[in-house]
């Protein structure tokens, strides 16, 4: 009997709550009194106002295309030139191969297939898209994915004896295209340099956008001295570069 006395109050509580909770359904507002979301007034800006917003000398243009060419990379060269001291050793590289080129406007002369490649790669701009003219002059998109492998030919540090792959202490600088909202109705597309660890870059399928050159940077060795490297670049199984970089004087890693 005690069990029955305990059960009945619980039973009444559970089912009583259920009925009470259903009462709200009869009192749901129909929405007629709800306040609409506040909309901020929008202003239409001219191209000159957009330029002035950033910099009076900002070279912003409304164009049809941002990328100026599409390249199938068939070879990679190492460029030797004097550079100021840096925190890392820089290897400047140059891409080569057949390139399909065009202008920044649909009316500009272009190679066969340029407009089709532009559309396939998202080069569809409207009257409210602005790009920097500098970027438009320089940018080339690689159509094939290129991977880089840098080997030490001398003992580099404890983790990297002679013959070791150095990709985990290398960075790769390359261009990335960004389209972002700006003031009013405008969007701006620009090119930014982006650094990724070389082993991470090789593991990704990011689109490579070139400017005049790209750079691999290498952390300095554990000890100052003379070092040599072996650079291999590949696209799939095709070797695009197989280069020995000899006798480089490097300071010790800080």
């Amino acid at each position: 009997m005690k069990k029955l006395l305990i059960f009945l109050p619980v039973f009444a509580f559970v089912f009583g709550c259920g009925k009470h909770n259903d009462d709200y359904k009869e009192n749901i507002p129909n929405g007629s009194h709800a306040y609409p979301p506040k909309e901020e007034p929008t202003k239409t800006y001219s191209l000159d106002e957009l330029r002035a917003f950033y910099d009076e000398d900002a070279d912003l243009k409304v164009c049809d295309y941002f990328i100026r060419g599409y390249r199938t990379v068939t070879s990679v060269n190492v460029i030797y030139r004097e550079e100021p001291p840096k925190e890392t050793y820089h290897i400047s590289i140059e891409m080569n191969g057949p390139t399909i080129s065009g202008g920044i406007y649909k009316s500009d002369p272009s190679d066969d297939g340029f407009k089709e490649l532009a559309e396939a790669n998202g080069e569809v701009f409207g009257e409210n898209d602005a790009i920097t003219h500098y970027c438009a002059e320089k940018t080339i998109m690689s159509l094939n994915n290129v991977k880089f492998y840098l080997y030490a030919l001398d003992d580099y540090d404890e983790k990297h004896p002679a013959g070791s792959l150095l990709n985990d202490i290398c960075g790769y600088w390359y261009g990335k295209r960004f389209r972002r909202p700006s003031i009013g109705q405008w969007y701006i597309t620009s090119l930014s340099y982006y650094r990724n660890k070389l082993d991470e870059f090789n593991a990704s399928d990011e689109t490579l956008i070139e400017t005049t050159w790209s750079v691999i940077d290498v952390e300095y060795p554990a000890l100052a001295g003379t070092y040599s490297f072996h650079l291999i670049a590949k696209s799939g199984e095709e070797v695009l570069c197989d280069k020995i970089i000899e006798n480089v004087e490097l300071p010790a890693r800080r």
Side-chain angles (χ1 to χ4, degrees), residues 100-101 110-117:
I100 296 174
S101 302
S110 62
D111 296 333
D112 290 343
F114 174 80
K115 294 177 181 178
E116 290 79 3
L117 284 169

Side-chain angles (χ1 to χ4, degrees), residues 157-232:
D157 56 28
E158 291 183 356
K159 295 182 179 180
H160 302 91
S164 297
L165 185 64
L166 298 175
N167 283 20
D168 60 321
I169 58 171
C170 294
Y172 184 59
W173 294 84
Y174 58 102
K176 292 185 70 172
R177 177 181 51 181
F178 291 93
R179 182 177 184 265
R180 63 188 188 279
S182 185
I183 60 173
Q185 78 279 16
W186 288 100
Y187 286 82
I188 292 182
T189 298
S190 60
L191 183 75
S192 295
Y193 274 102
Y194 185 80
R195 180 188 186 276
N196 203 351
K197 282 292 188 71
L198 192 53
D199 51 3
E200 295 176 4
F201 173 80
N202 282 353
S204 72
D205 291 320
E206 289 192 78
T207 300
L208 171 60
I209 298 178
E210 309 166 37
T211 53
T212 53
W213 51 273
S214 300
V215 167
I216 295 173
D217 66 58
V218 193
E219 291 182 16
Y220 286 141
L223 300 174
T226 302
Y227 295 86
S228 297
F229 303 93
H230 184 189
L231 177 65
I232 295 176

Side-chain angles (χ1 to χ4, degrees), residues 224-242:
T226 302
Y227 295 86
S228 297
F229 303 93
H230 184 189
L231 177 65
I232 295 176
K234 300 177 69 175
S235 177
E237 295 302 315
E238 183 181 2
V239 176
L240 308 180
C241 177
D242 190 339

Side-chain angles (χ1 to χ4, degrees), residues 102-176:
I104 57 177
Y105 300 106
K106 292 180 179 178
S107 57
D108 290 340
S110 62
D111 296 333
D112 290 343
F114 174 80
K115 294 177 181 178
E116 290 79 3
L117 284 169
E119 184 173 347
N121 285 280
E123 291 289 289
V124 180
F125 293 98
E127 60 182 10
N128 296 323
D129 279 289
I131 67 173
T132 62
H133 186 58
Y134 169 80
C135 291
E137 288 288 343
K138 306 291 183 180
T139 50
I140 301 291
M141 180 180 289
S142 296
L143 294 176
N144 52 328
N145 198 283
V146 181
K147 310 295 187 184
F148 301 93
Y149 307 90
L150 187 70
Y151 296 88
L153 296 184
D154 311 282
D155 292 339
Y156 209 70
D157 56 28
E158 291 183 356
K159 295 182 179 180
H160 302 91
S164 297
L165 185 64
L166 298 175
N167 283 20
D168 60 321
I169 58 171
C170 294
Y172 184 59
W173 294 84
Y174 58 102
K176 292 185 70 172

